[in-house]
């Protein structure tokens, strides 16, 4: 399947697939777009290209990621699980053993080398160059998404920085509140790589922001990769084609050659502003807080540049599918570190940091606790507030099944772990910001060494009877009844999202 190289190829692909609607009516990027998109996302509807956003000079693309099908189209795969294996290979190149593995290892190394971004001389993103007083962010249809938002926020940027210690690139998706024609806030949260680059900098640091990328590059800015890994390299690997970069016009950073729009500029270490409030993916407004100011020295663009946006808010919203992609893509990487994990699910309603459901191959007493602590020690998953552990045969995406085992298998006095640790920057519930309680629920079957009485067998019909009933089903005259074997009532993550 073809993978789009830039935003225009992606829009054309979506249009061919019947996945995009152009809205010609004039629509206000203040609140009105949000309400339209909210209804569209919840109906599983198409991507929307608003051709005439009120008061702006550029069209606005939104809901490009809003369904599982579009997410799969973006990556050119049948299922999001197909992407994970490749990412696992990049994150931990295992020393190859046999000859076949060695050849495979070499091939992986070669495709990783080929995936490194390529610097080219010219890029469409610099067809139009605005500098000095011509820089005017109000040309862009930046959304004020919710009534209580402090102003318009750029919500789908790829923010490019360098680690001043070693020059390594980072690309992160951090929202940017527009403060004036030539400045925004930069909302990199406490645990993020862009913020670390900022903290390691002295004085002025250069920053570039790419808007309107091919979907894989845009996704990569949101992926929780280890700091030393260049998100654009991962994007190149996943696309099967290196991301092309050009040198910035006013800064010494490279920017994606095919971007629709690039903002070039700098951040002064000590120049801070009140950022927010902003209606966030937590479902609440995050209060105003100090963040650095991004000063824009140039806007470079394609002719007729298209501005991309996304609305976050009370889940489910469009970002649910970026998160689900991350959940699926990173499963093999998680299993490399904690191989007893069979599968996991981060419920969309749990806003990604509130809850993780994990199934494990339980092998020893206390194993569920080991895995809880592993989750609380693993990358961005370390911020997870609640962890539910179930046995390997439980489908973690089937929330009714999970609730059944939490109800049936848990003695709260014995099976609940309460501890504390770092929490998501935006979590408003803990008494202190950034740190607070964690809950682990061990819903696995317990053995005697864990203090349980003899564990009863679970009820299951035998295979012969099932076969017999399958065979004879027609004879019973029950066509109107869905055969129980396939008709389980499922309230899975997938079902919830398709609502
Ligand atoms: C739509 C969207 C908006 C986001 N906004 C922010 C944000 O404002 N601040 C932030 O720190 N992370 C935000 N994130 C999460 C980061 O993009 C994510 O943690 C990413 O891994 C950061 O890159 P880094 O690991 O290189 O820092 C957002 C994610 C999405 C999908
Ligand atoms: Mn990073």
């Amino acid at each position: 399947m073809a993978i789009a190289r830039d935003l225009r190829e992606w829009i054309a692909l979506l249009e061919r697939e019947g996945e995009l609607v152009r809205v010609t009516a004039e629509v206000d990027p203040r609140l009105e777009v949000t309400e339209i998109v909210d209804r569209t996302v919840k109906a599983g509807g198409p991507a929307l290209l608003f051709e005439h956003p009120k008061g702006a000079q550029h069209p606005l693309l939104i809901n490009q990621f809003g369904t599982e099908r579009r997410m799969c189209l973006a990556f050119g795969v049948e299922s999001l699980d197909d992407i994970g294996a490749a990412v696992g290979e990049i994150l931990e190149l295992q020393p190859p053993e046999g000859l076949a593995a060695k050849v495979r290892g070499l091939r992986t190394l070669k495709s990783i080398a080929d995936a490194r971004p390529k610097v080219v001389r010219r890029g469409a993103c610099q067809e139009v160059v605005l500098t000095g007083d011509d820089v005017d962010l109000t040309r862009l249809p930046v959304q004020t998404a919710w009534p209580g938002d402090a102003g318009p926020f750029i919500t789908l940027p790829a923010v490019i920085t360098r680690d001043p210690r070693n020059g390594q690139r980072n690309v992160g998706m951090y929202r940017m509140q527009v403060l004036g024609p030539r400045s925004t806030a930069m909302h990199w949260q406490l645990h993020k790589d862009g913020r670390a680059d900022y903290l390691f900098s002295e004085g002025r640091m250069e920053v570039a922001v790419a808007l309107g990328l091919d979907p894989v590059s845009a996704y990569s800015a949101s992926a929780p990769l280890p700091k030393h890994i260049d998100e654009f390299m991962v994007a190149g690997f996943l696309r099967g084609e290196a991301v092309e970069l050009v040198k910035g016009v006013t800064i010494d950073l490279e920017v994606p050659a095919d971007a629709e729009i690039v903002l070039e500029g700098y951040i002064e270490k000590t120049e801070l502003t009140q950022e927010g409030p902003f209606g966030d993916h937590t479902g609440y407004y995050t209060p105003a807080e100090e963040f650095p100011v991004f000063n824009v020295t140039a806007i470079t663009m394609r002719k007729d540049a298209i501005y991309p946006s996304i609305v976050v808010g009370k889940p489910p919203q469009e970002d649910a599918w970026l998160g689900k992609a991350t959940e699926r893509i990173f499963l093999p990487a998680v299993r490399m570190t904690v191989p007893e994990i069979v599968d996991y699910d981060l419920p969309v309603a749990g806003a990604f940091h509130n809850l993780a459901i994990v199934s494990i191959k339980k092998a020893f007493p206390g194993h569920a606790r080991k895995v809880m602590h592993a989750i609380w020690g693993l990358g961005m998953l370390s911020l997870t507030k609640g962890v539910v552990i179930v046995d390997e045969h439980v489908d973690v995406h089937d929330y009714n099944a999970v609730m059944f085992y939490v109800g049936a298998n848990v003695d709260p006095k014995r099976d609940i772990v309460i501890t504390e640790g770092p929490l998501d920057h935006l979590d408003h519930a803990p008494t202190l910001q950034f740190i607070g309680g964690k809950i682990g629920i061990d819903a696995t079957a317990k053995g005697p060494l864990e203090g349980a009485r003899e564990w009863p067998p679970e009820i299951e019909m035998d295979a012969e009877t099932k076969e017999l009933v399958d065979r004879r089903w027609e004879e019973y005259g029950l066509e109107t009844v869905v055969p129980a074997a396939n008709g389980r009532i499922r309230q899975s993550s997938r079902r919830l999202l398709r609502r």
Side-chain angles (χ1 to χ4, degrees), residues 458-473:
E458 251 181 87
I459 301 172
E460 190 78 74
M461 182 48 72
D462 61 63
E464 298 92 278
T465 308
K466 282 187 177 168
E467 262 165 50
L468 170 82
V469 170
D470 281 347
R471 220 174 330 112
R472 296 198 56 200
W473 190 257

Side-chain angles (χ1 to χ4, degrees), residues 282-301:
T282 58
Y284 288 82
Y285 287 101
T286 45
E289 196 181 331
E290 275 193 340
F291 280 91
V293 175
F294 171 56
N295 297 285
V296 184
T297 51
I299 301 183
T300 78
M301 292 188 288

Side-chain angles (χ1 to χ4, degrees), residues 170-171 193 225-227 229 231:
N170 191 72
V171 189
D193 297 341
L225 291 160
K227 181 160 192 321
I229 293 190
E231 282 80 0

Side-chain angles (χ1 to χ4, degrees), residues 5-25:
R5 295 191 69 230
D6 61 24
L7 191 73
R8 297 195 184 195
E9 278 190 26
W10 173 228
I11 288 173
L13 173 66
L14 290 174
E15 232 164 0
R16 277 198 307 279
E17 295 286 334
E19 291 280 352
L20 181 128
V21 171
R22 291 173 185 268
V23 180
T24 52

Side-chain angles (χ1 to χ4, degrees), residues 395 397-406 489-492:
D395 177 359
H397 310 296
D398 181 345
Y399 300 152
N400 276 334
V402 172
M403 187 60 84
F404 167 73
Y405 289 99
V406 167
I489 297 171
R490 281 176 55 110
Q491 192 195 14
S492 69

Side-chain angles (χ1 to χ4, degrees), residues 91-105:
L91 292 182
E92 193 167 326
L93 272 173
Q94 304 275 13
E97 279 163 21
L99 187 62
K102 236 176 229 156
V103 171
R104 220 177 327 113

Side-chain angles (χ1 to χ4, degrees), residues 113-248:
D114 292 345
R116 272 205 298 267
K118 260 208 310 263
V119 179
V120 297
R121 294 172 64 90
R122 295 167 60 84
C125 73
Q126 293 173 346
E127 284 171 357
V128 177
V129 176
L130 303 173
T131 56
D133 288 350
D134 293 335
V135 172
D136 183 5
L137 294 170
T138 65
R139 302 167 53 104
L140 305 176
V142 182
Q143 282 185 272
T144 300
W146 299 105
D149 284 3
F153 286 78
I154 296 170
T155 49
L156 205 62
V159 177
I160 301 162
T161 54
R162 279 195 187 284
D163 189 325
R165 300 167 304 172
N166 52 26
Q168 274 171 356
R169 178 176 20 249
N170 191 72
V171 189
M173 188 172 286
Y174 318 117
R175 73 173 186 235
M176 298 156 59
Q177 181 182 345
V178 176
L179 304 172
R182 284 179 285 282
S183 64
T184 77
M186 183 57 75
H187 184 260
W188 39 46
Q189 296 158 22
L190 187 69
H191 308 99
K192 306 305 169 76
D193 297 341
R195 186 185 184 105
D197 289 346
Y198 160 76
L199 291 176
F200 286 124
S201 303
E202 296 299 338
R204 183 175 283 206
M205 96 189 271
E206 294 188 323
V207 177
V209 176
L211 298 165
L213 298 174
D214 66 280
V216 175
S217 297
Y219 162 77
S220 75
S222 79
L225 291 160
K227 181 160 192 321
H228 65 279
I229 293 190
D230 178 354
E231 282 80 0
F232 283 154
M233 186 273 284
V234 173
F237 188 77
L238 293 174
R239 301 197 316 177
E241 187 177 352
V243 175
E244 293 191 344
L245 304 173
V246 282
K247 268 189 76 80

